[in-house]
């Protein structure tokens, strides 16, 4: 049996191709393995970050591809079409991390009523969240448009939730204002929603073209275009959460705010404008926020189910707004996937648009 995969050149993300990958058929699946048809997946700017950091954070090792190419991981849904595991039936729906492909073989382990883990050797050594699959058959929260929202935003909102939790835990480093670059991005407006809800002033930094959308969200107290960032008063403490990954912007902000820059966290790379030789900057030292570290810390402190419970409460306050904020567009087939990928890579996707795709 063959899977159709969409792969990209690891040293030039503009280059992509469709390949066929050999799979075992149902009869020759290893014991406890599942053959899964990837039914639909989300594609956002966050997936481009996965590709940019593919070597650094081991994303490329999750789904093997030919030499010098990589399969960009995506969040989505799969249907079990053959199972060699006694507790998992064909026809089940799984939600989790998939390749941009039509099929995936999962070596099921740690199977429970709620989920399972892929124990494939090449997938180990990364954060456990990337190998976990939820069993969501019949769950209305994962069906239809609600399911599309889960694929598009649940992983991003988890990142928003963890950054907000990290800042709150550290009392926002004494800042009463938090600036978010790439304010129109889904991770940014999820974080803005959470910060705004607990009374922190949120300043959204964005392009002129996205200003109207960012203002319409209602979760930013102030919206500033990139060319006007030094107009923000530098007379009180501020924190900066960088979704854009733009070295020039970061330097301008640090030099403008100086010692009032109390926290500078790098989260995303939507602009892919990081210089390898950044100078030492005034204010807080820029550091990467690594979500798995916060997950491990809170899992230990909050105990079993603690993260899920708190995240679920946060999601329930966020999800009802998505009908107003987001338009979902569906695309099927290799050509649609390639077009959506290139549009996302090159910043041509309107901020209110969410891509749900399938290679089938």
């Amino acid at each position: 049996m063959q899977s159709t995969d969409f792969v990209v050149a690891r040293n030039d993300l503009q280059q992509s191709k469709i390949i066929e990958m050999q799979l075992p058929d149902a009869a020759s699946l290893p014991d406890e393995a599942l053959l899964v048809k990837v039914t639909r997946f989300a594609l956002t700017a966050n997936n481009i970050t996965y590709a940019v950091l593919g070597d650094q954070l081991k994303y490329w090792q999750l789904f093997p591809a030919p030499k010098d190419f990589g399969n960009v991981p995506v969040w989505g849904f799969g249907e079990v079409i053959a199972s060699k595991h006694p507790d998992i039936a064909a026809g089940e729906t799984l939600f989790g991390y998939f390749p941009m492909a039509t099929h995936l073989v999962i070596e099921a382990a740690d199977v429970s009523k709620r989920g399972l883990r892929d124990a494939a050797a090449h997938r180990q050594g990364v954060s456990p969240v990337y190998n976990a699959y939820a069993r969501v058959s019949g769950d209305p929260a994962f069906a239809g448009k609600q399911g599309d929202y889960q694929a598009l935003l649940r992983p991003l909102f988890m990142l928003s939730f963890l950054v907000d939790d990290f800042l709150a835990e550290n009392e926002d480093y004494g800042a009463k204002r938090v600036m978010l670059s790439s304010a129109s991005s889904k991770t940014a407006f999820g974080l803005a929603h959470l910060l705004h809800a607990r009374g922190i002033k949120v300043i959204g930094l964005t392009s002129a073209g996205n200003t109207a959308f960012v203002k319409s969200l209602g979760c930013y107290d102030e919206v500033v275009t990139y060319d006007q960032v030094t107009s923000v008063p530098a007379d009180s403490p501020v924190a900066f959460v960088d979704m854009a990954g733009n070295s020039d912007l970061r330097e301008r902000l640090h030099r403008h705010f100086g010692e009032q820059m109390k926290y500078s966290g790098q989260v995303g790379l939507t602009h892919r404008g990081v210089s390898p030789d950044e100078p030492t900057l005034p204010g807080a030292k820029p550091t990467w926020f690594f979500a798995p570290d916060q997950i491990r810390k809170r899992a230990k402190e909050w105990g079993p189910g603690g993260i899920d419970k708190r995240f679920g409460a946060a999601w329930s306050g966020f999800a009802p707004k998505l009908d107003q904020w987001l338009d979902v567009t569906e695309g099927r087939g290799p050509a649609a996937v390639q077009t959506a990928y290139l549009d996302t890579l090159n910043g041509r996707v309107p901020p209110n648009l969410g891509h749900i795709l399938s290679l089938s």
Side-chain angles (χ1 to χ4, degrees):
M1 185 172 180
Q2 289 188 320
S3 171
T4 300
D5 288 36
F6 177 84
V7 297
V8 303
R10 290 163 60 161
N11 64 352
D12 180 5
L13 297 179
Q14 299 287 347
Q15 304 301 315
S16 62
K17 64 180 181 179
I18 298 294
I19 63 170
E20 300 291 327
M21 297 283 282
Q22 194 65 35
L23 294 171
D25 58 27
S28 57
L29 278 175
D31 288 345
E32 302 194 341
L34 314 173
L35 180 58
V36 180
K37 180 181 180 181
V38 183
T39 53
R40 70 192 201 274
F41 57 83
L43 183 67
T44 71
N46 192 51
N47 301 105
I48 304 303
T49 299
Y50 293 152
V52 173
L53 300 177
D55 289 310
Q56 185 179 341
L57 297 182
K58 302 181 180 179
Y59 292 120
W60 291 136
Q61 79 180 46
L62 291 167
F63 306 115
K67 187 178 186 299
D68 298 326
F69 283 83
N71 197 314
V72 181
V74 287
W75 293 92
F77 295 88
E79 178 190 352
V80 178
I81 58 175
S83 173
K84 285 290 189 71
H85 195 286
D87 297 326
I88 301 169
E92 275 212 43
T93 301
L94 304 177
F95 174 78
Y97 221 33
F98 286 97
M100 296 176 74
T102 55
H103 295 83
L104 175 68
V105 174
I106 292 175
E107 296 180 24
D110 299 336
V111 175
S112 69
K113 289 183 178 180
R114 295 182 60 190
L116 56 95
R117 176 176 65 87
D118 189 345
H122 64 269
R123 293 188 64 168
Q124 309 316 303
V126 298
S127 172
V129 69
Y130 297 127
N131 290 332
Y133 292 87
R135 302 172 74 177
V136 298
S137 298
D139 186 339
F142 288 87
K145 182 180 267 191
Q146 293 305 311
D148 293 342
Y149 290 156
Q150 296 274 8
L152 282 162
L153 282 156
R154 188 181 180 90
L156 305 182
F157 190 65
M158 175 59 83
L159 180 55
S160 306
F161 169 82
L162 293 167
V163 174
D164 178 64
D165 176 62
F166 172 79
L167 289 173
E169 179 187 18
N170 289 282
E171 298 181 331
D172 303 297
Y173 292 87
K176 300 302 181 187
R177 302 174 295 169
V178 177
M179 296 182 298
L180 308 182
S181 62
S182 198
S184 63
S185 70
K186 296 171 180 64
T187 307
F189 67 67
L191 176 57
H193 162 80
L194 294 169
L195 290 166
H196 187 78
R198 59 184 183 86
I200 300 296
K201 182 177 180 181
V202 191
I203 302 171
L205 309 180
T206 191
S207 64
N210 287 337
T211 299
F213 171 74
V214 175
K215 286 182 176 179
S216 76
L217 296 169
C219 53
Y220 289 99
D221 298 281
E222 187 177 350
V223 180
V224 180
T225 56
Y226 291 123
D227 60 339
Q228 296 292 317
V229 293
T230 55
S231 69
V232 179
D235 55 355
S236 62
V238 67
F240 175 44
V241 180
D242 183 17
M243 309 289 181
N246 186 309
S247 294
D248 175 67
L249 174 64
R250 181 161 45 249
E251 182 173 353
R252 282 192 289 138
L253 288 170
H254 274 260
R255 297 203 184 285
H256 176 63
F257 287 97
E259 294 308 310
Q260 296 284 23
M261 179 71 79
K262 300 302 183 182
Y263 172 76
S264 181
Q266 296 172 250
V267 175
L269 290 167
T270 60
H271 288 190
R272 304 194 312 282
V274 176
S275 168
D277 301 309
E278 290 192 0
T280 300
L281 299 171
K285 181 180 179 181
T287 56
W288 272 101
F289 176 80
F290 192 51
D293 289 345
Q294 189 72 4
I295 290 174
R296 280 190 286 268
K297 180 178 186 295
R298 287 311 200 187
K300 184 177 180 180
E301 294 171 350
W302 292 343
I307 292 176
D308 288 344
K309 181 179 179 180
R310 289 167 173 82
F311 175 77
W315 175 263
S316 68
F318 178 64
K321 299 179 180 293
L322 299 180
D323 279 336
Q324 310 163 41
W325 291 353
L326 203 62
D327 294 324
V328 177
T329 182
E330 295 188 24
R332 289 192 168 273
V337 169
Q338 182 182 47
T339 297
Y341 167 77
L342 289 173
D343 285 348
T344 305
L345 177 66
N346 294 301
R348 297 192 292 259
V349 179
N352 64 320
L353 194 66
H355 279 298
I356 294 293
L357 303 167
S358 171
L359 273 163
S360 298

